[in-house]
Amino acid sequence: MPLGLIDKQILWNRLIAVVEEQAQTLQRTAFSTIVRESGDLAAGVFDVRGRMLAQAVTGTPGHINSMALAVGHVLERYPAEAMRPGDVFIHNDPWMGTGHTNDFSVTTPCFRDGKLVAIFACNSHLMDIGGVPRMSGSIDVFMEGLYLPILRIVEAGVVNETLMELIRANTRLPVETEGDVYSLIACNDVGCERLVETMAEFGIDDLGPVADHIIDTSRAAVLANIRALPKGTWSSTLTLDGFDGPLALKAALTISDGGIHVDYAGSAGMVKQNFNVPLCYTIAYTSYALGCIVARDIPNNAGSLEPRTVAAPPGSVVNALKPAAVVARHLVGLMLPDLVFGCLRQAIPDRVPAEGAGVLWGINISGPRVSPPRHDDSFVVGIVTTGGMGALPLRDGLSATGFPSGVRGGPVEIYESMSTVIVWRKQYRQDSGGAGRQRGGLGQDIEIENGIPEPFELACSYERLIHPAAGFDGGLAGAPGVVARSDGKSLPGKGRFPIPPGIRLHIRSPGGGGIGDPRHRDPAAVAADLANELISPEAAHSLYGLATDRAAV
């Protein structure tokens, strides 16, 4: 019996439930802290043609929207007719995956009664896959650790032990890395199991009609939203800190009845350092930024993504070519939404936020576990910290929020339990949100010290130390980020630096920009910020004009 419209809608929602369980399996079984605690992952289901039908709510745009492209690459290498029950494919090619080698992608064909009915995919960040330990030290992708092309890691249900041994041999954390690979495999297995159960429940053996309904309906909904927008072309520029000097990004955004197109012509060329961005990652965050405007209530799938298109000159920093160094591609890639919003702000200013902190401030450290050190007893651990989101036209920006990545900040208790460090302070950074009628979100103030009399090393890749998040329409910029030691020594935002015993590391993440004249902010909101110590008495008086006697409360 043909499926009716209600049946297709129910199956659509059921697919979202299936992939969410798939993602939760990955998060709960992962060894990597950034996956287990912060959700740096993606999971989704595809039809047999490689079209993404549903993605889990758990996950990040950079992983999800690049995963939407990755399955097509797997099918080019291993066509559907060559796949067998029990096969699993793995790779971490930055240009076919999520943009850098630390993210492993796993693809699993799903069979029902011997027939291929769907494909499940997932990816996640692995803490160590070899390569140079200095985060900013690589100058080509071959220095950035193990590089796997698209390979079968499981063939007809049998694990390729040679490949697994190769993976174990190319990491400083062999147990954790192997565990993460099995976590990815299990994630897809759970998704396939639930899908087969769902198809049996509904008595169907082909997802084709449901797939077409999902994709066609989503595409039409996005196009309807686009057609309601002003038509034209708008341009924007954004200056990043860069490494040896500022890095300029440019975009031109065109809205037409047929879709939205973003062209990054004029952006800086590839750089020697490792924050070049493969095109798949550029597409991922550009599509996400556009989706915030035109697809907020529309599921993310191949249909809703199709009207959003991207172009970038080959050899530019946002379309880096192999073998460019790309391990820190997030430094540029996560800033692209602010650049896109800079274009959209000219067309629809009442729907676009001010600039935000953008890039995640991961505190990645390594060192010996004991004193005196032993060569076979060390740790490598990372915790995600975040800055402030830019203000929105009708509300304040969120504080300590990983926008646009969606990666959550990790609990310091886990961080401490896996290393020797002590986190002495982790709190909102007062006055870091850009003042405005709507205030920018606040960054964080964090202090870390080693708990044993040995140094530890900080590997950092940070932005917004020199060029803070801008405010708009009279709003002020957010506070720039700061990296420093308690002995008064300032550290640059990129590199690997020893922190001696007895010295505290100070991390102060940047705030988001404000919108509107601060003097027009609701006095009650200013008073509440003051009472909650989000702003200082001095800022309340000098920036917001709160009466002196109230500012002294």
Side-chain angles (χ1 to χ4, degrees), residues 102 274 292 333 363 391 414 427 482:
N102 279 86
N274 55 23
C292 290
I363 307 177
I414 300 297
Q427 64 186 32
V482 175

Side-chain angles (χ1 to χ4, degrees), residues 176-234:
E176 291 86 345
T177 299
E178 182 180 12
D180 278 328
V181 171
Y182 279 113
S183 175
L184 288 159
I185 294 172
C187 160
N188 284 350
D189 284 347
V190 167
C192 181
E193 182 179 345
R194 294 294 178 266
L195 176 64
V196 170
E197 292 172 356
T198 298
M199 294 179 71
E201 178 184 340
F202 282 80
I204 59 174
D205 58 8
D206 183 6
L207 282 180
V210 178
D212 290 341
H213 170 68
I214 290 171
I215 290 169
D216 293 345
T217 303
S218 300
R219 182 194 303 111
V222 170
L223 284 171
N225 287 348
I226 291 173
R227 288 171 185 144
L229 298 176
K231 306 303 183 292
T233 298
W234 297 269

Side-chain angles (χ1 to χ4, degrees), residues 128 132-137 172 243 364-367 379-380 456-461 491-499:
D128 185 273
V132 293
R134 182 181 170 93
M135 177 62 94
S136 61
R172 301 171 186 88
F243 192 86
N364 300 305
I365 60 172
S366 59
F379 66 85
V380 178
F456 67 88
E457 285 197 314
L458 166 72
C460 58
S461 290
L491 301 176
K494 301 175 181 68
R496 191 174 182 92
F497 311 104
I499 308 299

Side-chain angles (χ1 to χ4, degrees), residues 5 110 112 144 176 216 289 298 304 320 326 336 341 404 447 471 481 523:
L5 179 59
C110 179
R112 180 171 186 258
E144 296 176 347
E176 291 86 345
D216 293 345
I298 302 169
S304 57
V326 294
L336 296 179
F341 291 150
E447 291 184 16

